[in-house]
Amino acid sequence: MKGKIRGYLIKKHYLLVLLMRVLGIETSCDETGVAIYDTQQGILSEALYSQVDVHAEYGGVVPELASRDHIRKLVPLMREVFTKAGLAYGDVDGVAYTAGPGLIGALMVGAATGRALGMAWDIPTIGVHHMEGHLLAPMLEDEAPKPPFVALLVSGGHTQLVHVRSLGDYELLGESLDDAAGEAFDKVAKMMDLDYPGGPLVAKMALQGDATRFKFPRPMVDRPGLDMSFSGLKTAALYAIQDIKKKQDELTQQDKADIAVAFQQAVVDTLAIKCRRALQQTQLSTLVMAGGVSANLSLREKLAAETAKLRAKVYYPRPEYCTDNGAMIAYAGAQRLAAGQMDDLTLKVKPRWPLNELPAVKPQNQHE
Ligand code: KG4
Ligand code: ZN
């Protein structure tokens, strides 16, 4: 393992700390994200390119266009992060890339590039689980959560509650049985002719909405357990839209805002009920939220209020680390590389990859 080993005298105990600089590459969907993370100094530089404009006219991600755009953007973005960090090209100790879950072609671009760089620079590489990247993103903040905690992962592809015992030791407590929360946001946005990705636009419209006009269901909250469902809620929004369209040709801005606020509240309430239940069930007092939907202000406020009632605390990443980015992949990869994990000789990407299949991370670099 490359990287410098240095000794530190901390609280009378001598700790050996592996200092590593890791290049992170994220290409699982429609964002090309690159960052350099240093285990001592934190994120040194980062760059992000969003393909939103490429996919907007199709109303969703077109996988083939996503792969081609990652190919176009990845090398310029990598050069940019090395320049911004004041480092020579390749002056890192490891490369971390998203190996799954995600779109297979898009993943292949990041994986093949990451592996090629590892060989060219003669440094180890590691394939990172995209949702572990999201899950660990709050660790990049000054006030970082410490395991054990309950994590609510809410993105465009996943809605999961996870018991995080330690780094890499994850137990799935519950998940959406159909649409992910972000996916439901995007679909409701599409029904109202809002642009892709619709989540942030629905959230924005909701600010002008009358929350008393529509009452949508809170799916599966009466049933025990921590699984969720959002497709019925999406259907409720569709029926409300169809009802309006029976009386008038088009939805007014106010109609859209009223539907947006009712939908958002139903999602937020449902997630809050399940989070509360997960904290009670595990008897933990720390909740971590991550993934694109955790940027939603209404969800943040609600979970802050709910956790306060339970004398628990909620942590979330800054908004730019809620959605896809290279920093979270560099960070997650650095934790595993520093613990001695790395790729073998095969090049694998996993479009589907359960989080609990990940190996635990046992730090090898700290000896008291
Ligand atoms: O984590 P992410 O960037 O990509 C995936 O891994 O899926 O999440 C993207 C999802 C999209 O569905 C997007 O609409 C949603 O997160 N999203 C939001 C907000 N910002 C992003 N949903 C609701 N409110 C937001 N403010
Ligand atoms: Zn994501």
Side-chain angles (χ1 to χ4, degrees), residues 47-266:
L48 185 75
Y49 168 77
S50 171
Q51 302 180 349
V52 161
D53 294 343
V54 176
H55 305 292
E57 64 175 297
Y58 304 97
V61 180
V62 183
E64 180 58 24
L65 295 183
S67 316
R68 292 184 200 186
D69 221 26
H70 286 307
I71 292 174
R72 270 192 290 270
K73 294 297 177 328
L74 199 46
V75 173
L77 288 180
M78 286 191 305
R79 291 198 184 278
E80 184 185 329
V81 293
F82 279 102
T83 307
K84 284 204 286 201
L87 297 172
Y89 197 46
D91 193 6
V92 285
D93 307 302
V95 181
Y97 58 87
T98 305
L103 302 170
I104 188 159
L107 291 169
M108 282 304 292
V109 176
T113 308
R115 292 300 297 269
L117 290 177
M119 275 183 210
W121 295 337
D122 192 21
I123 52 176
T125 64
I126 187 143
V128 171
H129 192 296
H130 180 77
M131 296 314 289
E132 181 175 62
H134 277 303
L135 184 110
L136 299 182
M139 308 275 191
L140 287 164
E141 303 303 334
D142 288 342
E143 212 191 332
K146 285 193 186 65
F149 54 73
V150 170
L152 171 68
L153 300 178
V154 264
S155 69
H158 294 78
T159 300
Q160 299 182 322
L161 277 160
V162 181
H163 182 164
V164 177
R165 291 200 177 80
S166 60
L167 225 146
D169 185 352
Y170 308 130
E171 182 194 347
L172 184 65
L173 298 170
E175 64 184 333
S176 175
L177 301 178
D178 39 56
D179 292 352
E183 186 181 356
F185 263 99
D186 294 341
K187 286 180 178 167
V188 168
K190 202 169 178 181
M191 290 174 200
M192 301 198 291
D193 296 322
L194 300 178
D195 281 343
Y196 162 85
L201 297 175
V202 169
K204 200 168 162 206
M205 294 233 70
L207 294 173
Q208 317 298 328
D210 170 3
T212 59
R213 180 166 165 203
F214 298 103
K215 180 87 180 150
F216 293 154
R218 272 65 177 150
M220 290 184 72
V221 293
D222 298 333
R223 278 196 237 168
L226 295 168
D227 284 335
M228 295 161 263
S229 159
F230 294 102
S231 73
L233 183 51
K234 188 187 63 189
T235 311
L238 178 66
Y239 288 157
I241 292 168
Q242 286 172 343
D243 270 355
I244 298 172
K245 285 193 173 168
K246 275 182 205 153
K247 294 171 214 140
Q248 64 203 52
D249 282 350
E250 293 295 328
L251 264 60
T252 64
Q253 287 299 99
Q254 193 57 50
D255 293 331
K256 291 183 186 179
D258 295 345
I259 289 169
V261 74
F263 170 77
Q264 177 175 268
Q265 276 196 356

Side-chain angles (χ1 to χ4, degrees), residues 26 28-31 101 130-131 133-134 154-158 290-292 322-325 328-329:
E26 156 60 33
S28 67
C29 189
D30 57 350
E31 248 112 29
H130 180 77
M131 296 314 289
H134 277 303
V154 264
S155 69
H158 294 78
C322 288
T323 43
D324 293 350
N325 63 85
M328 66 184 194
I329 302 305

Side-chain angles (χ1 to χ4, degrees), residues 278-330:
L279 287 170
Q280 285 165 335
Q281 185 177 309
T282 54
Q283 300 197 319
L284 292 172
S285 56
T286 306
L287 176 69
V288 169
M289 56 195 285
V293 184
S294 66
N296 186 283
L297 288 180
S298 172
L299 180 61
R300 286 177 179 229
E301 278 166 20
K302 178 79 176 179
L303 292 184
E306 286 298 317
T307 45
K309 279 190 227 159
L310 293 173
R311 293 175 189 229
K313 198 161 179 219
V314 65
Y315 293 81
Y316 33 74
R318 70 192 78 169
E320 55 271 37
Y321 288 168
C322 288
T323 43
D324 293 350
N325 63 85
M328 66 184 194
I329 302 305

